[in-house]
Amino acid sequence: MADIPLSPQPLSRIRIVLVSTQHPGNIGAAARAMHNMGLSNLVLVNPRHFPDEQATAMASGAQALLESAQVVQTLDEAVADCAWVVAVSARPRHLGDEPLTPWNMAARAVAMPAPNTVALVFGCERTGLTNEELERCNATTRIDANPEYSSLNLAQAVQVMVYELRKAALPEVPSVALKLGHPWYAPPSAEEMERLYEHLERVLRMTGFLNPDNPRVLMRRLRVLFNRAQPDRNELNMLRGILSSVESPKVRTKRSHKTGTRTHQFEEK
C-alpha cells in the first residue's frame, strides 16, 4: 500500500466510514472529496466491489488515499476504537436527540481532544443506514436539502460534510489574515489619508468640479465615502496616481499593428 501524508490535526483524527457501498465510483469520488479537504482516514464496510477500476478512475488524484483505505466486514469493526460516532442520515427518527447540523457536528468533532478518533458514518446508496447501524452511533447529522428533492449522491454528501469539517478545523479567516500581513494591504495612516484629501481637493479645484464658494460640503461627503471604503495602502497609491495623471497628463507611445512603427497619442487636457 502507498503511504500518504497524514492531515494536520485535528482532521487526521476524523474517520470517514462508508457502509455497504454499492457503486465503486462513489467510493473513488468520496476519496477525492476527502483528499480535497485534507482528510485521509477512510474505512469501507463490506463494499460490493472494491478494489475496482471505477473507484480508481473517480478518485482522480486521490489514489493513494484509496489504496490506504481499510476494508472490514462490520460497522462494529470500523468504529471499535472511536470515541464519538456520528451517523449521516436523512431518515427521520422518533427516538433519540434531534440531528445535529453539519456545522455543529463539525465543531464538536474537531474539538474532540487527542488522541480520540471521531467516525462519520454513511450508509449505502439505496437504503441508507439501518436502524441497527444507527443504534451503533452516538449522534446523527443531516444535510438540510430541498425537501422536494432531498436525495444526495453519496459522494456529494461526503463532500458537504468534509467541507464543514475543514472549515471548523481551519483558523478563522486565514486568507484575510495573510493578506493583511502584506505591506501592500496595510491600512494607510491618518496622515496618508489627509494627504489624499488635500490632493483630491486640489485636483477638484483645478478641474472646476469643486465649488470654491462651498468646498467643505463635497469634501465632507468624500471623506465619508473613503472612510466607509477603507482603502489599503496599495489602493491609496493608485488613487494618488490617478490624481497626478489628471494634474499632468502623460504622453503615451503606442506601437502600430500594421507598420510596426510608433505613434504618439496625447491625452486631452
Side-chain angles (χ1 to χ4, degrees), residues 17-28 30 44-55 122-130 133 152-155:
V17 179
L18 306 183
V19 179
S20 302
T21 309
Q22 297 180 318
H23 196 294
N26 285 330
I27 297 175
L44 307 175
V45 178
N46 194 28
R48 175 175 289 184
H49 301 289
F50 188 81
D52 189 274
E53 292 181 356
Q54 290 188 47
F122 297 80
C124 79
E125 300 92 328
R126 188 171 57 86
T127 60
L129 293 168
T130 66
E133 289 164 344
L152 273 75
N153 170 270
L154 172 61

Side-chain angles (χ1 to χ4, degrees), residues 234-263:
N234 191 40
E235 292 165 337
L236 186 68
N237 289 336
M238 180 178 63
L239 291 170
R240 294 289 303 274
I242 293 171
L243 294 173
S244 295
S245 73
V246 174
E247 289 180 307
S248 303
K250 295 181 178 180
V251 176
R252 298 287 186 184
T253 301
K254 182 178 181 180
R255 183 180 293 276
S256 171
H257 292 290
K258 293 183 179 179
T259 64
T261 60
R262 292 183 179 273
T263 59

Side-chain angles (χ1 to χ4, degrees), residues 7-48:
S7 306
Q9 298 286 358
L11 293 180
S12 61
R13 300 197 305 272
I14 308 294
R15 178 177 301 164
I16 301 300
V17 179
L18 306 183
V19 179
S20 302
T21 309
Q22 297 180 318
H23 196 294
N26 285 330
I27 297 175
R32 179 179 181 177
M34 291 174 61
H35 195 41
N36 285 153
M37 297 297 118
L39 285 81
S40 59
N41 190 342
L42 174 63
V43 176
L44 307 175
V45 178
N46 194 28
R48 175 175 289 184

Side-chain angles (χ1 to χ4, degrees), residues 39-207:
L39 285 81
S40 59
N41 190 342
L42 174 63
V43 176
L44 307 175
V45 178
N46 194 28
R48 175 175 289 184
H49 301 289
F50 188 81
D52 189 274
E53 292 181 356
Q54 290 188 47
T56 302
M58 292 299 293
S60 185
Q63 286 88 350
L65 190 154
L66 200 63
E67 291 172 6
S68 68
Q70 297 181 57
V71 179
V72 297
Q73 292 303 308
T74 66
L75 179 57
D76 286 341
E77 292 177 76
V79 301
D81 60 338
C82 295
W84 195 47
V85 181
V86 184
V88 181
S89 176
R91 181 184 300 175
R93 302 183 69 194
H94 301 292
L95 298 176
D97 297 331
E98 284 293 310
L100 298 169
T101 62
W103 45 94
N104 285 337
M105 175 279 300
R108 288 183 59 179
V110 300
M112 186 69 66
N116 295 303
T117 299
V118 173
L120 198 57
V121 182
F122 297 80
C124 79
E125 300 92 328
R126 188 171 57 86
T127 60
L129 293 168
T130 66
N131 288 331
E132 291 75 16
E133 289 164 344
L134 287 169
E135 289 172 0
R136 299 293 192 278
C137 302
N138 303 111
T140 61
T141 184
R142 181 175 61 205
I143 299 170
D144 190 15
N146 178 6
E148 295 180 3
Y149 188 66
S150 60
S151 176
L152 273 75
N153 170 270
L154 172 61
Q156 291 175 327
V158 172
Q159 182 72 80
V160 170
M161 292 299 180
V162 295
Y163 173 64
E164 290 293 341
L165 287 163
R166 182 167 185 81
K167 280 201 306 180
L170 288 175
E172 190 173 358
V173 290
S175 58
V176 174
L178 180 63
K179 181 177 178 180
L180 291 178
H182 195 287
W184 287 358
Y185 303 108
S189 66
E191 182 180 0
E192 288 171 324
M193 289 302 299
E194 286 303 318
R195 290 201 207 108
L196 169 68
Y197 297 135
E198 292 169 5
H199 196 172
L200 183 57
E201 184 173 352
R202 184 171 69 248
V203 171
L204 294 180
R205 284 179 181 274
M206 183 192 79
T207 62

